[in-house]
Amino acid sequence: MRFQLLGPLSIAHGPETVVLKPSKPTSLLAALLLHPGTVVSTGYLLRAVWDEEPPATARAALQTCVLRLRRLFAKYGISATTIEAVPGGYRMRNDTETLDLALFRFLTAQARAASGTPEELYRLREALSLWQGQPLSNVASGMLQRDAVPALEQERLRVLERVCDLELAAGNCHQVLVDLYEGARHRPVRERFTEQLVEALYRTGRQAEALAEYRAVRERLREELGVDPGPGLRRLEMAILRAEELGPAARPLAPERAPRHAALAVRDRSAPGPAGPPPVPGFAGRGADLRALADRLTDPRGPRLLVVCGAPGIGKSALARQSAYEMRTAFPGGVSAIDLTRPDGSPLDAGEARALLPGPGGDGRRLLVLDNAAGAGQVLPLLPETAGATVLVTSRRALAAAVATHGGFVHRLDVLCPAEAHALLAGLVGAERIAAEEQAARELAAVCGWFPLALRIAAGRLLTRPGLSVADCAAWLAADPPGRLALAEDPRLSVPEVLGRAVGALPPELREAFLLLGSLEPGSGPATAAEESVLEQLVEAGMLEDGPPGEPYRIHAFLRGYARWLARDRAGTAALLPR
């Protein structure tokens, strides 16, 4: 059994494929499948099913829709528990075996980690073969048609552009002409397709046709949007007119260029988005986290302030910057990011931070990323200066004072799962090298506690020592993980430096409590009221996590190991005290 989103919403059951009729349960199913494995809030589902006018009985009607879906599932042998009712909403746990969208994203991730062009092309072609037409064409939800469908189509177009780039680089110009004609005709403002088409025609000796395509898109852009083609197309036209030899056709998968006129973002939501932070090198996993932030960032009625918090080194900055990159098309007014911390780890003061704030920018919604905030006191003075922008903040702290006074959404980040940690290592070190030592790579990820910071440090060690095996690296680090996970060139890539600064910033009583936690085993018993107050402060500082029922607090195993390492030498602890 497989659910299919990349075309009409349908259920494939053996040789049979059932296309669902447009209905409220179909809209509900689509909204859940778009967020596999994630708790989808009741509010989001109500908007997906009833758009802006849910009836007074909408919550009860939503439960009825769930019951209707479960009855439908029973006809095809699908468990009723496939849809889980959880606090705050519902969840469907789909994976690559049961959802085409999950498989599409898995294949594109594999392509990014591919060891060469043939493998990358094979994975990307395999991913594109999953598309069976216009996504969600039988889903009546206005909200999903307006927001989710363009985002899905954008994912497909990025893959198709990359395929055409690779084929052109390999000299296979004839093989991609059909795809390029379709892309250039239907999406003239997405100029990369026209560039590729003109280039392919010229490389196959069809100079007149190449120039005709250029002139056709130039006239269409002028008539519909009042703009000329971009510099890439204009340079290509001049090269053809001069009969110049074109350079290599290949180019790396890179951030898409910003639209040259605000009308592009308004007229075609598949157009490239505004310039902003580039994608994070080697970024892997975090699918549920990215989707949770995307839901908030794209909701026009969503919070203006979003906070990503968690332990030091857990990947908050990477998640925020990758989210900003992936969601840049939703912010035609621009995407900006500033670091609120100096290179030595000390926080910027209010005047320094204000001087870095961007100007008003273009028309439309804007996104501002405030990275590495020390606390609410650093962020609060900046919010009145951000002129209505959506503000995404990363901090070890949850910034309760800022959220309480301005409203907002707090997303607490956990460590990577083992599969995500493995994917991060493969993306940084190379898929072939990691695949050659699968078990050792898993052991290395475990030694690093599945912390992105530690994994990047380990990857740096492997990259600078090509002859070092993954197994030997894991064994060497396992002897002293907190002490050996450091790259001498950069204190930001050093576990003792990063975690040492975090512990050193704690008040003395919290520092002592953190060191004590390292000596305790999980489930050591309930805390007293006084202890609970200290533990709550450690949670707020990002050094402790909320735990499962019956065990209200937990500490990451990696942080527990660091606390033990630090406590071995009280002189080392004393060196952290403020002077």
Side-chain angles (χ1 to χ4, degrees):
M1 178 279 302
R2 172 176 289 178
F3 295 100
Q4 296 176 335
L5 279 175
L6 306 180
L9 180 56
S10 56
I11 301 174
H13 181 66
E16 180 184 7
T17 298
V18 180
V19 177
L20 303 182
K21 296 179 180 179
S23 65
K24 288 181 172 56
T26 299
S27 295
L28 171 62
L29 178 60
L32 291 169
L33 291 173
L34 284 164
H35 306 85
T38 302
V39 176
V40 185
S41 70
T42 301
Y44 178 90
L45 294 174
L46 292 175
R47 294 195 301 276
V49 175
W50 283 279
D51 287 317
E52 303 302 324
E53 299 180 2
T57 58
R59 290 181 180 269
L62 189 67
Q63 294 176 352
T64 301
C65 289
V66 172
L67 291 174
R68 289 174 62 185
L69 283 177
R70 286 173 172 162
R71 285 198 292 268
L72 174 67
F73 290 175
K75 290 175 57 178
Y76 301 104
I78 304 172
S79 170
T81 59
T82 299
I83 299 181
E84 300 177 75
V86 294
Y90 293 88
R91 173 174 56 202
M92 289 185 69
R93 296 186 182 276
N94 294 103
D95 55 23
T96 57
E97 298 294 324
T98 59
L99 180 62
D100 59 354
L101 177 60
L103 180 58
F104 173 81
R105 289 171 173 165
F106 174 75
L107 291 170
T108 55
Q110 279 194 323
R112 285 194 294 270
S115 56
T117 296
E119 182 187 352
E120 184 179 1
L121 261 176
Y122 177 81
R123 296 299 181 194
L124 293 177
R125 289 286 190 191
E126 189 178 4
L128 288 174
S129 71
L130 297 171
W131 288 74
Q132 305 296 321
Q134 178 71 11
L136 306 183
S137 56
N138 57 332
V139 174
S141 169
M143 185 189 87
L144 297 183
Q145 291 295 330
R146 182 178 63 251
D147 297 334
V149 171
L152 289 174
E153 184 65 11
Q154 186 83 341
E155 289 189 58
R156 184 185 75 87
L157 293 176
R158 282 198 294 268
V159 172
L160 182 57
E161 282 184 357
R162 179 60 176 163
V163 166
C164 293
D165 271 336
L166 292 172
E167 295 284 20
L168 288 173
N172 302 325
C173 300
H174 290 285
Q175 285 88 325
V176 292
L177 282 174
V178 172
D179 287 331
L180 291 176
Y181 273 120
E182 189 272 339
R185 295 286 189 277
H186 292 94
R187 297 170 186 86
V189 297
R190 197 178 181 99
E191 291 180 25
R192 182 58 191 144
F193 280 130
T194 302
E195 284 183 33
Q196 291 172 321
L197 176 58
V198 171
E199 183 177 336
L201 290 170
Y202 182 53
R203 287 179 181 276
T204 53
R206 298 153 72 174
Q207 178 178 338
E209 289 181 60
L211 288 172
E213 288 296 332
Y214 169 81
R215 289 162 184 158
V217 78
R218 180 185 62 189
E219 293 307 312
R220 188 167 175 183
L221 287 171
R222 285 177 175 176
E223 289 176 6
E224 296 188 7
L225 302 174
V227 297
D228 285 321
L233 265 176
R234 294 200 301 272
R235 283 194 298 268
L236 193 53
E237 180 205 25
M238 293 305 299
I240 295 171
L241 291 172
R242 294 168 180 163
E244 294 176 353
E245 187 75 23
L246 297 183
R251 64 184 67 192
L253 194 58
E256 295 174 270
R257 293 159 296 179
R260 293 168 290 105
H261 192 278
L264 296 184
V266 175
R267 296 290 295 272
D268 187 343
R269 291 193 59 174
S270 71
V280 176
F283 189 89
R286 298 295 195 198
D289 299 295
L290 286 168
R291 288 190 294 275
L293 291 182
D295 286 348
R296 301 287 179 170
L297 290 170
T298 56
D299 186 349
R301 297 178 297 180
R304 180 177 162 239
L305 175 65
L306 294 91
V307 178
V308 177
C309 65
I314 208 162
K316 302 178 292 295
S317 296
L319 175 66
R321 289 177 179 265
Q322 186 70 14
S323 293
Y325 167 71
E326 294 189 4
M327 299 307 300
R328 64 200 183 285
T329 55
F331 297 91
V335 179
S336 309
I338 62 174
D339 195 336
L340 297 179
T341 302
R342 300 186 184 94
D344 65 357
S346 60
L348 299 179
D349 61 36
E352 292 173 307
R354 283 196 188 95
L356 294 174
L357 290 175
D363 297 332
R365 296 179 69 202
R366 296 189 300 126
L367 175 64
L368 173 61
V369 179
L370 298 178
D371 205 6
N372 296 313
Q378 191 184 31
V379 173
L380 281 169
L382 303 180
L383 294 180
E385 312 268 344
T386 55
T390 298
V391 180
L392 178 59
V393 185
T394 71
S395 176
R396 291 198 301 273
R397 299 182 175 276
L399 307 185
V403 173
T405 55
H406 288 76
F409 170 70
V410 177
H411 184 86
R412 195 164 190 94
L413 203 56
D414 209 335
V415 297
L416 298 172
C417 71
E420 290 173 327
H422 187 276
L424 179 58
L425 284 173
L428 294 170
V429 178
E432 187 173 348
R433 189 174 175 187
I434 294 300
E437 296 186 76
E438 287 278 353
Q439 184 56 41
R442 294 191 188 94
E443 292 169 3
L444 178 59
V447 168
C448 294
W450 303 283
F451 265 62
L453 170 66
L455 289 163
R456 286 183 178 273
I457 294 170
R461 184 168 183 82
L462 287 168
L463 288 169
T464 55
R465 295 167 174 80
L468 179 66
S469 72
V470 178
D472 286 343
C473 181
W476 184 79
L477 290 175
D480 185 17
R484 292 180 173 178
L485 278 166
L487 300 182
E489 299 81 6
D490 191 343
R492 292 169 299 181
L493 289 173
S494 164
V495 166
E497 286 283 342
V498 172
L499 296 188
R501 283 199 303 266
V503 174
L506 296 173
E509 66 273 19
L510 295 188
R511 190 182 308 130
E512 291 298 322
F514 174 75
L515 294 176
L516 177 62
L517 286 172
S519 66
L520 300 176
E521 294 300 327
S524 297
T528 65
E531 291 170 341
E532 189 166 86
S533 173
V534 171
L535 295 175
E536 280 293 326
Q537 292 178 69
L538 285 174
V539 171
E540 171 61 18
M543 307 303 291
L544 198 61
E545 304 294 317
D546 294 321
E551 188 180 332
Y553 304 102
R554 64 184 174 92
I555 183 172
H556 290 302
F558 189 76
L559 291 183
R560 184 189 301 277
Y562 174 75
R564 288 175 175 169
W565 177 83
L566 196 59
R568 286 186 203 134
D569 184 358
R570 300 298 294 184
T573 305
L576 295 170
L577 293 172
R579 292 182 173 86

